[in-house]
């Protein structure tokens, strides 16, 4: 340990710096004796020296401190060390022991030691933007001005703007790490180096050029009219004055007492999510030249104090959500969807059991008022279908500690986070089509962890959830990828993420990833559906997005190609990984002639009082399928596929004791099935009644399962059910009726008399697809399916 050697090396480096920008000191790294021993940090910040930053101890390394030492103070510090070695206090202890005793090493610092990010230090040869946190060395010094002097001397680009904090000034500089090393021998001393928050995929554009691109997009963008549907972003607040958001942003509220609707300093997540909810991926729009017509608007409610909020107990988030909905809906009649890219790290609910938070989402979704209680939440009144809401909720993310090249195994063993198990929510996981590493020499040998179209390395699943839990996620959207270096280290990079609006102080664009980004993009699709089909109910919008989702080739490669009954468990497990796949805007909003979709919104009263005073199943709904029988018979042996999706909302039972039973949590269940070629309607009705009774008693029905269904009985989890029937056209021609029928939940089991006459609403979506070159659209368009109520 020799401060004199460090000074000598620093003076040699200083001699290579031009006189106008030569520094008055140098930076040293001081390392403690061992783990468990701490440095006297306050004593290091004295005699003109400045404590720049502290690197906390790890399992491998002890605590380290970076200190700027003026040349004029070197002799003073040397004397402190000499006194420790030669002099003692009156108590007999070495002089300056508090300062010196725990120091093991003192050496000239390296620039890499200022890096504050979890990801590896960038390649030293690559020029890039850096977020640089400068130290004010003297009372009258302007560190940003000093940096600009240095930047002008070396030809670096320095951002026009800066941000001043009590002990740091923050700005951006474009240079390589090799070039930035010179800063340590100037008076523009960085205390920290960080990764800037804008999109490097946009070729490292400087702030001026980036601002020009954003301004051009703003000029090309026409916002939606004031009464258009909206995405309400439930997060840590949104920067409403962002130029890409301002003209589409209507209302901002907070559901947290003592806070403002605006995000706290450094809380960027909400603004990033708002950009994706409004535009989707901004990259093609920023690079484009044509007009952009927006179809919906934005709202925001702050439900978090920052990206992470440790002040609100997760069990009270139900109340926070209720307050959020109340704030935004009072006096408002517009249609909206709620986007919540927020989950809890609490292990409660990790096995799919409801929590007070997820139960609150279910209650708010079906239109039931809630109040907090010691057991979670309490329901107030009966569900009001006019107050139904659609929540988009993220499935939760794989954290850095669990990243692995075998990402599918990791995802299959990391369970969906609370409250994404909510039955009525549309839970969004992430997949990725971003597989190309940066085209830079420094990224030679890098590769993407997930192949094209595969589950994103960040996405959680419900594979390990037991039977009776909902299938989550429901769908997946683009969530970005992860790069792995030849060394095996993992790297987050903008080129494999999606571009959005920045909530940071220095740039207008940022990138986002994981299930947060996926959820916001899904919510955007939900708002577009409301704009295109304003009469659809919230459960219909949810059903349409699931119905329009498809598995990619990469996902499909995991599914068994045959339909044997023994393989249905494998298909069910894969469904709990991918949901029903990824919907696209085109598939959601349009229907090609070869893929005809029928959407039915209906309601009926499923239960009646029996003579004994209990409940019995009252009725089922039968819908005639408008398939052109003649055309189907002409196709004869050609294979056709019929996809069916049934979406409805349940009223939750928030009692802790009820969460253990398979049906006790849900107010009711609905099921669907298609009449078989050998059945008449009486036989069909009898079979469904037997199957409903068997399911309520948790008994497997003795009747044979139709193997033409992709999932069969496994589709009956949660409150959205989908399946694919595949068979010959001639068989389908004889399957012209589909039934929707009830199974009991807590309404029936608990003999709730206030629910006996309450109708249940549902949306049924049925699509027919054939590869045969036959027009089946025109004859279907001339038919109307008329539902028939069958009373028991």
């Amino acid at each position: 340990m020799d401060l004199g050697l460090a000074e000598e090396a620093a003076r040699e480096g200083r001699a290579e710096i031009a006189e106008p920008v030569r520094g008055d000191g140098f930076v040293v790294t001081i390392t403690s004796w061992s783990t468990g021993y701490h440095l006297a940090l306050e004593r290091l910040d004295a005699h003109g020296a400045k404590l720049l930053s502290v690197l906390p101890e790890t399992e491998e390394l002890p605590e380290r401190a970076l200190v700027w030492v003026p040349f004029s103070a070197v002799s003073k510090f040397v004397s402190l060390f000499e006194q420790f070695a030669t002099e003692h206090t009156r108590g007999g202890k070495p002089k300056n022991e508090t300062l010196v005793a725990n120091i093991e090493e003192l050496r000239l610092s390296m620039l890499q030691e200022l890096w504050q990010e979890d990801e590896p230090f960038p390649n030293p040869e690559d020029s890039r933007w850096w977020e640089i946190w400068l130290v004010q060395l003297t009372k009258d010094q302007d560190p940003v001005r000093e940096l600009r002097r240095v930047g002008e001397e070396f030809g670096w680009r320095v951002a026009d703007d800066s941000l001043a904090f009590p002990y740091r000034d923050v700005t951006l500089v474009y240079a390589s790490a090799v070039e930035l090393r010179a800063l340590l021998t100037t008076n523009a001393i960085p205390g920290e180096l960080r990764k800037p928050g804008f999109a490097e995929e946009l070729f490292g554009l400087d702030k001026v050029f980036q601002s020009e691109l954003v301004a051009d997009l703003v000029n090309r963008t026409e916002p939606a009219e004031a009464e258009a549907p909206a995405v309400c972003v439930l997060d840590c607040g949104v920067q409403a004055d962002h130029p890409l958001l301002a003209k589409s942003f209507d209302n901002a509220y907070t559901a947290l007492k003592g806070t403002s609707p605006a995000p706290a300093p450094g809380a960027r997540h909400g603004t990033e999510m708002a950009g994706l909810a409004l535009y989707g991926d901004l990259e093609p729009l920023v690079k484009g030249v044509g007009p952009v017509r927006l179809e919906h608007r934005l709202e925001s409610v702050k439900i978090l104090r920052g990206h992470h909020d440790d002040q609100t107990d997760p069990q009270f988030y139900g109340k926070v959500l209720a307050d959020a909905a109340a704030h935004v809906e009072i006096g408002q009649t517009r249609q909206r969807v709620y986007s919540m890219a927020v989950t809890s790290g609490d292990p409660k609910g990790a096995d799919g059991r409801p929590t007070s938070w997820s139960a609150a989402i279910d209650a708010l979704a079906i239109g039931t008022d809630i109040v907090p209680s010691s057991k979670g939440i309490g329901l107030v009144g009966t569900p009001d279908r006019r107050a139904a809401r659609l929540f988009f909720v993220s499935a939760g993310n794989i954290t850095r500690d669990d990243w692995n090249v075998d990402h599918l195994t990791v995802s299959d063993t990391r369970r969906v986070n609370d409250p994404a198990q909510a039955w009525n929510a549309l839970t969004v996981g992430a997949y990725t089509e971003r597989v190309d590493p940066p085209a830079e020499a420094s990224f030679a040998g890098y590769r993407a962890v997930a192949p094209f179209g595969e589950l994103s390395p960040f996405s959680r699943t419900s594979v390990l959830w037991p039977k009776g839990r909902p299938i989550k996620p429901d769908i997946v959207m683009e969530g970005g990828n992860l790069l792995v270096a030849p060394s095996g280290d993992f790297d987050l990079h903008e080129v494999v993420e999606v571009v959005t609006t920045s909530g940071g102080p220095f740039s207008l664009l940022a990138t986002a990833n994981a299930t947060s980004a996926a959820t916001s993009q899904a919510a955007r699709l939900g708002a577009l559906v409301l704009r295109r089909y304003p009469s659809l109910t919230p459960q219909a919008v949810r059903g349409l997005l699931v119905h329009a989702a498809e598995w990619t080739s990469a996902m499909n490669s995991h599914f068994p190609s045959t339909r044997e009954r023994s393989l249905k468990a494998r298909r069910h497990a894969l469904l709990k990984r991918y949901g029903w796949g990824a919907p696209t805007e085109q598939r959601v909003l349009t229907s090609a002639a070869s893929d005809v979709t029928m959407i039915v919104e209906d309601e009926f009263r499923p239960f009646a009082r029996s003579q004994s005073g209990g409940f019995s199943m009252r009725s089922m709904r039968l819908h005639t399928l408008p398939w052109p029988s003649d055309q189907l018979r002409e196709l004869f042996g050609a294979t056709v596929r019929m996809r069916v999706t049934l979406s409805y909302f349940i009223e939750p039972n928030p009692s802790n004791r009820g969460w253990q039973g398979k049906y006790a949590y849900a107010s009711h269940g609905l099921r669907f099935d298609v009449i078989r070629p050998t059945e008449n309607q009486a036989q069909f009705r009898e079979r469904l009644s037997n199957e409903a009774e068997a399911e309520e008693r948790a008994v497997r029905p003795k009747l044979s399962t139709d193997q033409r269904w992709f999932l069969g009985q496994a589709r009956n989890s949660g409150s959205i059910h989908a399946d694919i029937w595949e068979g010959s056209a001639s068989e389908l021609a004889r399957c012209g009726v589909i039934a929707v029928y009830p199974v009991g939940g807590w309404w029936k089991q608990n003999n709730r008399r206030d629910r006996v006459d309450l109708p249940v609403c549902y949306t049924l979506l049925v699509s027919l697809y054939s590869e045969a070159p036959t027009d089946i659209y025109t004859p279907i368009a001339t038919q109307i399916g008329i539902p028939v109520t069958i009373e028991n």
Side-chain angles (χ1 to χ4, degrees):
M1 179 177 63
D2 193 330
L3 186 61
L5 292 177
E7 179 191 16
E8 182 180 346
R11 289 189 181 277
E12 291 177 0
R14 181 175 180 269
E16 300 176 5
I17 303 298
E19 180 67 31
V21 295
R22 283 180 185 172
D24 299 321
F26 56 102
V27 182
V28 295
T29 298
I30 300 174
T31 305
S32 72
W33 181 261
S34 180
T35 56
Y37 293 85
H38 298 285
L39 300 170
L41 300 177
E42 297 84 359
R43 299 287 301 277
L44 295 174
D45 203 6
H47 307 295
K50 294 289 182 180
L51 178 65
L52 303 181
S53 60
V54 178
L55 305 175
E57 69 176 37
T58 65
E59 293 182 358
E60 296 81 17
L61 296 172
E63 184 179 58
R64 289 158 292 159
L66 276 71
V67 180
W68 179 80
V69 180
F71 289 114
S72 59
V74 170
S75 59
K76 176 60 178 178
F77 273 92
V78 169
S79 68
L80 294 175
F81 289 110
E82 290 176 344
Q83 288 172 351
F84 172 78
T86 60
E87 300 180 25
H88 292 79
T89 65
R90 293 181 179 180
K93 294 182 178 181
K95 205 166 185 179
N96 306 318
E97 180 182 25
T98 302
L99 171 66
V100 180
N102 287 346
I103 296 178
E104 165 68 13
E105 180 187 34
L106 190 153
R107 58 174 171 77
L108 201 63
S109 296
M110 298 181 293
L111 188 73
Q112 288 89 328
E113 293 173 299
L114 297 170
W115 184 241
Q116 302 297 308
E117 307 292 349
D118 292 334
E119 59 190 81
F121 188 77
N123 188 303
E125 304 291 335
D126 291 340
S127 294
R128 58 184 294 125
W129 284 102
W130 306 79
E131 187 175 282
I132 186 166
W133 293 55
L134 297 163
V135 178
Q136 186 176 16
L137 299 178
T138 63
K139 183 178 179 181
D140 298 325
Q141 186 209 26
D142 183 343
V144 175
R145 184 173 59 190
E146 289 285 350
L147 177 63
R148 292 203 173 100
R149 291 179 60 216
V150 175
E152 184 177 353
E153 182 69 30
F154 286 99
W156 303 338
R157 282 182 283 175
V158 180
D160 296 332
D161 297 331
S162 62
L163 188 65
F165 293 106
Y167 302 103
R168 293 288 190 271
D169 287 81
V170 186
T171 190
L172 298 171
V173 62
Y174 187 86
S176 70
V178 171
E179 294 170 322
L180 283 183
R181 289 171 184 166
L183 281 178
L184 299 182
T185 51
T186 72
N187 285 339
I189 296 297
E192 302 173 22
L193 291 177
R194 301 189 184 190
K195 175 182 175 181
F198 60 82
E200 193 178 69
E201 166 60 357
L202 295 177
F203 310 113
L205 302 177
D206 62 34
K207 185 175 183 294
V208 174
F209 191 16
Q210 191 184 108
S211 298
E212 291 174 353
L213 285 178
V214 170
D216 174 68
L217 177 57
V218 171
N219 291 333
R220 291 186 283 115
T221 299
E222 181 183 353
E225 62 273 15
E227 64 272 15
V231 176
C232 183
V233 178
L234 305 175
D235 210 287
C236 57
V238 173
Q239 295 284 4
D241 58 351
H242 191 290
L244 287 172
L245 306 179
K247 292 182 180 180
S248 296
F249 197 90
D250 289 333
N251 304 308
Y253 306 93
T254 179
L256 303 171
K257 292 183 179 180
T259 68
S260 71
R268 305 178 180 183
H269 192 257
T271 305
E272 293 169 358
M273 296 305 101
L276 292 173
L278 184 62
Y279 294 94
D281 183 13
L282 268 171
E283 180 181 352
L285 301 181
V286 170
K287 292 181 177 180
V289 294
V292 176
R293 174 73 171 90
L294 297 177
E295 301 290 338
H296 62 287
R297 302 186 65 81
L298 284 175
E299 299 170 330
S300 168
V301 183
K302 182 192 284 189
I303 64 169
L304 297 173
R305 290 170 175 81
H307 183 34
H308 301 286
D309 186 350
D310 57 3
Q311 297 184 46
T312 304
D313 192 313
Q315 68 177 335
F316 294 117
Y317 273 118
K319 176 61 164 58
V320 171
L321 283 189
D323 289 345
H327 278 302
V328 79
E329 292 173 6
I330 291 177
Q332 298 269 347
T333 58
R334 69 145 38 120
Q335 293 179 300
R336 64 176 55 79
V337 298
Y338 290 91
S339 179
M340 190 175 73
V342 174
T343 61
S344 171
D346 194 312
K348 294 178 181 178
D351 64 352
R353 285 180 295 176
T355 62
S356 60
W357 193 0
S358 70
I361 292 175
D362 285 332
L364 292 168
I366 199 173
T368 302
D369 290 331
I370 65 173
V371 293
S373 73
S374 59
K375 295 181 179 180
I377 63 169
L379 306 183
V380 180
T382 58
D384 180 0
R385 60 183 176 178
R386 296 168 300 180
R389 306 168 178 93
L390 178 56
F391 288 88
F392 290 79
V393 181
S394 57
N397 298 329
I398 305 295
T399 57
R400 176 180 291 273
D401 292 341
D402 290 332
W403 289 350
N404 194 291
V405 291
D406 185 12
H407 70 102
L408 289 179
T409 297
V410 173
S411 290
D412 285 351
T413 55
R414 300 302 184 272
R415 306 177 186 189
V416 166
N417 280 342
D418 183 31
Q421 73 274 27
W423 287 42
N424 295 338
L426 197 148
T427 301
V428 186
Y431 87 114
T432 187
E433 296 182 357
R434 308 299 171 93
V435 296
D436 296 321
E440 304 172 10
S442 60
F443 280 87
Y446 277 69
R447 62 180 178 85
V449 171
F452 185 91
E454 188 53 90
L455 194 73
S456 168
F458 307 107
S459 194
R460 289 176 172 264
T461 72
S462 64
V463 171
L464 294 184
W465 282 2
K467 292 181 180 180
R469 307 291 192 253
I471 295 171
K472 299 292 181 175
D474 298 292
I475 60 172
V476 292
M477 297 287 289
E478 178 63 64
N481 212 333
L482 188 62
L483 298 180
V484 59
S487 64
D489 294 330
F490 294 101
D491 186 21
L492 291 170
H493 199 279
E494 291 89 344
V495 76
V496 288
E497 298 178 341
V498 289
V499 179
T500 184
T501 48
S502 172
F506 301 117
S507 58
L508 297 173
L509 298 176
T511 57
N513 62 16
T515 61
S516 290
T519 301
S520 298
Q521 293 172 89
R524 172 180 173 270
L525 287 183
L528 293 178
V529 170
L530 286 176
R531 177 59 182 261
R532 180 67 62 90
Y533 308 110
S535 64
L536 291 184
T537 60
Q539 81 261 6
V541 176
R542 178 180 66 152
L544 184 57
L545 264 66
V546 170
H547 197 76
E550 291 183 356
W551 296 305
T552 64
S553 297
M555 298 173 194
N556 258 320
S557 67
H558 297 283
F559 284 92
S561 57
T562 57
R563 290 182 171 244
E564 285 81 3
R565 182 174 181 177
S566 61
L567 297 176
K568 288 191 175 181
R570 173 64 176 160
R571 289 198 286 269
H572 188 223
L574 289 168
L575 191 66
K576 295 196 289 184
R577 174 195 290 172
Y578 300 117
W580 280 96
T584 64
E585 183 174 337
Q586 181 180 8
R587 286 200 302 269
V588 169
L589 300 180
T590 63
S591 178
S594 59
D595 192 0
V596 186
T597 299
M598 177 184 77
I599 302 177
V600 176
E601 293 222 67
D602 203 357
E603 65 177 56
F604 68 110
R605 292 173 173 82
F607 304 115
R609 292 191 185 95
S610 65
Q611 293 181 352
S612 62
F615 272 34
S616 64
M617 187 170 73
R618 170 189 284 173
S619 61
M620 65 178 67
R621 281 302 240 190
L622 298 184
H623 298 273
T624 301
L625 297 172
W627 303 152
S629 298
D630 292 341
Q631 282 79 4
L632 289 173
R633 290 190 181 96
E634 289 175 4
L635 294 176
F636 189 64
T639 298
V640 292
R641 288 197 301 273
M642 178 175 61
R643 181 163 179 166
V644 181
T645 302
L646 175 64
S647 177
Y648 59 98
F649 288 163
I650 57 95
E651 184 182 16
N653 174 10
S655 167
N656 284 323
R657 345 169 257 192
W659 293 351
Q660 302 302 319
K662 183 175 182 181
Y663 304 112
Y665 176 71
S667 54
H668 64 286
L670 297 181
R671 305 290 183 259
F672 68 81
D673 207 344
V674 174
I675 194 170
R676 296 176 183 175
T678 59
E679 292 178 323
N680 57 39
Q681 286 198 14
Q683 292 169 328
F684 183 38
R685 182 182 65 177
E686 181 180 4
R687 174 169 65 85
L688 298 186
S689 295
N690 291 337
E691 290 185 0
E693 182 181 355
E695 184 174 346
E696 289 181 7
R697 294 188 293 111
V699 176
R700 181 184 294 275
K702 295 181 179 180
L703 298 175
S704 61
T705 302
D706 187 347
Q707 294 301 315
R708 289 167 295 193
W709 288 108
F710 185 79
L711 286 176
Q713 296 299 318
R715 67 180 177 236
N716 290 335
S717 301
S719 63
I720 186 166
H721 316 300
D723 210 344
I724 300 171
W725 184 100
E726 184 174 305
S728 68
S730 58
E731 289 176 316
L732 184 61
R734 300 192 299 272
C735 301
V737 177
I738 186 169
V740 176
Y741 63 97
V743 294
W746 66 266
W747 283 1
K748 179 178 180 181
Q749 291 177 348
N750 297 336
N751 195 19
R752 287 297 295 259
R753 298 181 182 276
D754 57 341
R755 301 297 196 267
V756 65
D757 289 323
L758 195 66
V760 297
C761 306
Y762 65 88
T763 301
L764 181 69
L765 301 99
V766 188
S767 293
L768 182 62
Y769 176 80
S770 173
E771 296 180 354
T774 299
D775 178 18
I776 59 176
Y777 178 82
T778 301
I780 289 176
T782 63
Q783 300 185 50
I784 299 176
I786 302 176
V788 178
T789 297
I790 298 182
E791 299 290 343
N792 284 342

